[in-house]
């Protein structure tokens, strides 16, 4: 049986290779392929449909159907049997097609005469590029051998489509990867950027899908797999004794690299006429297909390990490595499936924009992108397969959209938008040194959020009056082992030095929930956002907290020091944390270190419970900062990471603003300094409403300081406060409409 299959597919592939070697190109090449397949398979019809755009398939070549319908007949994805194959990526083998579910014939093609239908997806690495169809008049059940042979041919066609083999004179096809496409994703960092794609992992191109000599191909595969195994073993040795988790991942790699099933399937593919690299890619395609369907996170991870391994194997076989010799363009837009924070930092500010196929708004990469103020769009499906190195691309971080290979009108409109933003930025520069004073004379202090050394130049450029939130966990997240006390002390000292006397509020390590340290054993919690995180970890395992406090005290070097604890939910937690500070101070004194000239210990108000803490708490704490991102998610019971519910509740909801007002009142009563450091502080309308509720210090991304200040300087907070009171009185859900109306009129 296998013999038979081998010979059938090999014969077909052999003829295909000959056809390809000739100097026919473009449309003629496609025509020749359909003739050849129909002839070899003994079918009356063979047709190739390729995607014209995301939604539309076009008949691009046919043997047997009406010639005039080529490049005329089009169908939407999902329409008829061909459309269904394209939508599902699964073949349809129908002996009696007209009675099959969803059958629909295209009268202009004359296909109503044909009974049997076999449609195979033309796909490459899980991406469906089109459909290959054979049809016969007789009722015919295509054998599994025939199906296999066609699958292999479809894969070769996919490779050739990718390589632009059908583009040329008379093809009437705009080559794949040259059309403009609009891809939608999720905004993770605002801003607009224009540039050229830099693929983080350049894809390997298989130029020889059909084998000349199966024996030689088998040898090549075996040699490459051996090299891969040796490589993985080496990695294991290097990592042994080190990180346990990393070793586990590598163990899984080793398991795959030695997997007999994986190897056997690839060997069979070669026996059937594929080259070694095409066999690897075929397996990789299958794994990707499975990956798209698997929900289980663990299994997905394993499949993605296999994907990674296939990539390594392809690089060995083709000699195409990461280092392709290509140079980073002047205006690089990074495209990756996913990227770690450390790798992203390595690129640093060179990047104009970032597009991720996966990722999430709260991922570490997003945190770093935000810190570097680089526009970022995540969850952009197909970007790593659609985009090629060097492609022109526009990243719209405000809308969560990506314009790949855009047409001129889109480029012009986009450039206008960038120019307008630049103009606004210039306006902000002119007020940079001015204080934010509203028309009714209220002074609002504007500070910035930071987390990396890379943030600090913004302290001077943005006009920030200090750092209202320094997220210390970023230093822990970007390394693959726990940073040392001395390293932290040096870093914190640099931060304080660059602040040149301006206040910097260091927040102690806020890990857990979305922020998982790569070198800490992950805890399996049903609701991590409500779980063991931030100060809870700090108090239960005080070693790291003490080390960090020591580093901070040493960094202050006799100057003032402000520290705050994240996610305090009750008074007692603050008291305990404060005790740790006192003990650390004592220890440092004993060790002969110079102590800070002044020490302020604050808490972040991120849980509704703390807003109702005893007044005594408000009196005891040196200052409070509202972490609006977390506070809002708990106030509305809406996960800040969940796209479905994230945007559902408005910050300007009357209930939320009333809660903020209550916190302000309690702080006023106890004389506790209060600030707000969630993302909302950087949104001008939200900032105005928070200020109207009585908050006098806002801490935000540096880029937001200009827009927020510019608006604050134009408003009368007393009037806004009155609007909010009226809205509450009327029973409005949100104050946004009335505040927007007011802002339009000033
Ligand atoms: C917040 O929750 O608002 C906050 C500032 O902290 P983070 O976003 O780091 O959780
Ligand atoms: Mg928080």
């Amino acid at each position: 049986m296998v013999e038979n299959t081998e010979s059938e597919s090999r014969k077909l592939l052999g003829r295909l290779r000959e056809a390809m070697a000739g100097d026919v190109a473009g449309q003629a090449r496609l025509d020749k392929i359909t003739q050849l397949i129909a002839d070899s398979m003994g079918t009356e019809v063979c047709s190739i449909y390729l995607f014209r755009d995301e939604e539309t398939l076009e008949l691009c070549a046919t043997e047997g159907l009406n010639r005039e319908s080529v490049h005329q007949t089009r169908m939407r994805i999902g329409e008829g049997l061909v459309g269904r194959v394209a939508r599902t990526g699964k073949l349809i083998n129908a002996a009696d097609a007209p009675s099959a579910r969803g059958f629909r014939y295209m009268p202009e093609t004359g296909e109503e005469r044909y009974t049997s239908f076999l449609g195979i997806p033309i796909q490459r690495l899980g991406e469906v590029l089109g459909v290959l169809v054979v049809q016969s008049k007789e009722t015919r059940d295509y054998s599994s051998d025939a199906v296999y042979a066609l699958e292999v041919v479809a894969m070769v066609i996919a490779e050739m489509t990718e390589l632009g083999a059908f583009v040329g004179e008379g093809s009437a096809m705009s080559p794949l990867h040259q059309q403009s496409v609009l891809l939608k994703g999720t905004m993770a960092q605002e801003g607009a950027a224009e540039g050229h794609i830099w693929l983080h992992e350049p894809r390997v191109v298989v130029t020889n899908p059909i084998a000349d000599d199966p024996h030689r191909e088998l040898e090549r595969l075996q040699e490459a797999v051996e090299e891969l195994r040796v490589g993985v073993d080496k990695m294991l040795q290097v990592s042994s004794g080190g990180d346990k988790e990393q070793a586990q991942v590598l163990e899984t790699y080793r398991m795959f690299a030695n997997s007999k099933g994986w190897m056997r399937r690839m060997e069979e593919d070669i026996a059937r006429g594929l080259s070694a690299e095409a066999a690897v890619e075929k397996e990789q395609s299958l794994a990707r297909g499975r990956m798209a369907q698997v929900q289980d996170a663990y299994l997905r991870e394993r499949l993605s390990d296999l994907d990674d391994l296939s990539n390594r194997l392809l690089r060995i076989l083709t000699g195409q490595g990461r280092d392709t010799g290509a140079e980073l363009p002047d205006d690089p837009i990074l495209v990756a499936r996913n990227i770690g924070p450390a790798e992203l930092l390595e690129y640093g500010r060179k990047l104009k924009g970032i597009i991720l196929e996966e990722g999430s708004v709260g991922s570490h990469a997003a945190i770093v992108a935000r810190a570097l103020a680089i526009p970022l769009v995540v969850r952009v499906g197909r970007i790593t397969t659609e985009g090629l190195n060097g492609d022109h691309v526009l990243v719209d971080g405000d809308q969560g959209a990506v314009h790949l290979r855009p047409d001129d009108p889109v480029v012009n409109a986009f450039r206008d938008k960038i120019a307008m933003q630049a103009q606004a930025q210039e306006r902000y520069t002119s007020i940079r040194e001015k204080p934010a004073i509203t028309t009714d004379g209220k002074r609002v202090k504007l500070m910035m959020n930071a987390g990396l050394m890379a943030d600090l130049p913004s302290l001077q450029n943005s006009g920030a009056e200090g750092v209202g939130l320094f997220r210390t966990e970023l230093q822990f997240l970007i390394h693959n082992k726990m940073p040392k006390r001395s390293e932290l002390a040096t870093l914190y000292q640099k931060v304080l030095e660059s602040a040149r006397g301006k206040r910097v509020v260091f927040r102690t390590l806020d890990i857990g929930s979305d922020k998982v340290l790569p070198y800490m054993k992950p805890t399996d919690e049903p609701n991590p956002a409500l779980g063991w995180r931030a100060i809870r970890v700090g108090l239960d395992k005080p070693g790291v907290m003490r080390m960090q406090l020591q580093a901070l005290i040493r960094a202050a070097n006799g100057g003032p020091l402000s520290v705050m604890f994240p996610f305090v939910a009750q008074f007692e937690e603050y008291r305990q944390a404060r005790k740790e500070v006192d003990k650390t101070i004592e220890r440092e004194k004993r060790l002969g270190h110079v102590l800070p000239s002044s020490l302020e210990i604050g808490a972040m108000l991120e849980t509704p419970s703390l807003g109702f803490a005893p007044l005594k708490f408000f009196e005891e704490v040196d200052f409070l900062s509202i972490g609006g991102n977390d506070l809002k998610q708990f106030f509305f019971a809406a996960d800040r990471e969940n796209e479905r519910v994230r945007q559902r509740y408005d910050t300007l909801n009357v209930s939320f603003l009333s809660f903020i007002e209550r916190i302000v009142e309690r702080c006023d009563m106890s004389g506790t300094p209060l600030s707000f450091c969630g993302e909302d502080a950087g949104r001008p309308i939200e900032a105005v409403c928070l200020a109207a509720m009585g908050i006098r210090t806002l801490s935000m991304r540096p880029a937001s300081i200009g827009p927020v200040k510019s608006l604050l300087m134009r408003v009368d907070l007393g009037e806004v406060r009155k609007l909010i009171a009226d809205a509450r009185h009327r029973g409005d859900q949100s104050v946004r409409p009335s505040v927007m109306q007011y802002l339009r009129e000033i």
Side-chain angles (χ1 to χ4, degrees), residues 253 291 299-309 337:
Y253 267 34
M291 195 143 70
L299 265 182
R300 277 179 66 88
E301 274 294 306
R302 297 291 77 82
L303 283 169
S304 114
D305 286 348
L306 181 60
D307 194 65
D308 201 45
L309 215 55
R337 206 130 60 83

Side-chain angles (χ1 to χ4, degrees), residues 200-269:
H200 180 55
E201 295 243 286
R203 51 213 221 139
V204 175
V205 187
V206 176
T207 49
N208 59 332
I210 308 170
D212 286 324
D213 171 3
H215 294 293
R216 178 68 203 114
E217 291 305 306
L218 260 184
E219 272 170 24
R220 288 184 61 231
L221 178 71
Q222 279 152 1
E223 282 161 18
V225 170
E226 192 46 42
E227 195 176 324
L228 179 75
R229 278 184 196 146
V230 172
V232 172
D233 281 346
K234 252 197 213 138
M235 283 197 282
L236 259 171
Q237 274 160 20
V238 172
S239 86
S240 70
D243 189 306
K244 214 165 123 200
E245 248 214 284
Q246 194 187 345
Q248 261 170 12
V249 172
L250 289 172
E251 245 343 308
T252 324
Y253 267 34
R254 176 141 77 178
M255 204 180 76
F256 278 124
N258 289 306
S259 157
K260 294 225 168 54
W262 188 47
M263 200 58 203
R264 194 195 59 238
R265 286 193 300 274
M266 290 192 289
E267 283 170 358
E268 278 172 11
D269 291 330

Side-chain angles (χ1 to χ4, degrees), residues 13 16 30 33-34 37 46-50 122-124 129 131-132 150-166 209:
L13 284 179
L16 205 58
L30 267 181
I33 293 176
T34 52
I37 297 174
C46 172
S47 315
I48 292 175
Y49 298 82
L50 293 172
I122 297 174
Q123 55 189 333
R124 184 178 185 277
L129 307 176
V131 181
L132 171 66
L150 271 191
E151 273 182 332
V152 170
V153 170
M155 184 190 152
V156 173
I157 295 175
E159 278 313 320
M160 297 190 325
T161 310
E162 179 76 11
L163 290 171
F166 308 125

